[in-house]
Amino acid sequence: KAIFNHSHLRCIQTTPTQGHLMPLTLSLKPGEKFVLNGAVLANGEKRTSLVLQNKACVLREKDIMQSEEANTPARRIYFPVMMMYLDPDGSETYYNDFAMRMTEFMGAIQNRQALATCLEISREVMSGTYYKALMACKKLFEFEQERLNYDLESLSKHAARR
């Protein structure tokens, strides 16, 4: 099981162009942490750019979510998707959690745009493109925040106190 002391996940992959993978440049702030193929790395004291020449799983510190931060319906969808990406061996367990949370969420909303986003997330998960699914999940965060009128910072602070 992968456990990280950061907030939120972002998976970055090289993008295919005409059948070839294009290098990805990852710009890091001083001290910024990231996960590269399961290893937690930290940038040094200066801003740095890394060029990834092949396909790799890169999760930036700002996009990694702790389990206690999965404290809203949309975040409870995001978390198992993130874990499917981080822990492929446990993906069946995480998929079952994702399916249950997505079903609950879709049963509770009627907004067509949000429902379309849920379908987009489900399609991406089914095809194994977890990065795209995670980015689509962030649209649900926005939808949820607008509807529930909560402040993201206070939610994170509340989760940290638990």
Side-chain angles (χ1 to χ4, degrees):
K1 222 179 213 181
I3 298 177
F4 304 95
N5 293 320
H6 312 299
S7 59
H8 311 358
L9 159 85
R10 181 172 171 209
C11 171
I12 302 170
Q13 296 180 344
T14 54
T15 54
T17 301
Q18 298 176 359
H20 297 87
L21 293 177
M22 285 186 55
L24 172 78
T25 301
L26 183 64
S27 297
L28 300 167
K29 298 175 187 171
E32 184 176 0
K33 293 179 183 176
F34 62 103
V35 176
L36 176 62
N37 291 339
V40 179
L41 304 168
N43 188 23
E45 297 176 5
K46 297 180 181 176
R47 189 169 197 77
T48 304
S49 291
L50 299 175
V51 179
L52 302 178
Q53 296 290 336
N54 60 339
K55 185 176 180 178
C57 175
V58 179
L59 310 174
R60 296 185 78 123
E61 178 176 15
K62 69 178 185 168
D63 292 323
I64 297 172
M65 180 183 289
Q66 295 296 308
S67 60
E68 62 271 8
E69 293 174 304
N71 53 11
T72 70
R75 288 169 172 265
R76 288 185 194 105
I77 292 169
Y78 183 97
F79 187 77
V81 175
M82 179 192 77
M83 292 307 297
M84 282 186 273
Y85 190 80
L86 290 174
D87 182 16
D89 293 338
S91 64
E92 185 177 337
T93 301
Y94 302 122
Y95 177 80
N96 291 338
D97 190 31
F98 160 76
M100 180 179 70
R101 300 300 186 174
M102 181 60 82
T103 302
E104 292 170 351
F105 191 87
M106 291 180 76
I109 61 172
Q110 295 179 353
N111 180 284
R112 287 179 187 240
Q113 187 175 359
L115 287 168
T117 300
C118 290
L119 292 175
E120 175 188 352
I121 293 164
S122 295
R123 276 193 300 271
E124 300 299 353
V125 166
M126 293 301 293
S127 68
T129 51
Y130 301 121
Y131 172 71
K132 289 181 179 181
L134 290 167
M135 294 306 104
C137 281
K138 290 190 175 200
K139 294 178 197 173
L140 292 183
F141 292 176
E142 295 167 13
F143 167 79
E144 187 176 67
Q145 185 177 4
E146 289 170 7
R147 298 309 183 274
L148 300 178
N149 205 18
Y150 64 77
D151 175 31
L152 287 173
E153 282 190 35
S154 67
L155 257 177
S156 295
K157 287 177 187 173
H158 177 71
R161 283 185 244 152
R162 288 182 151 199

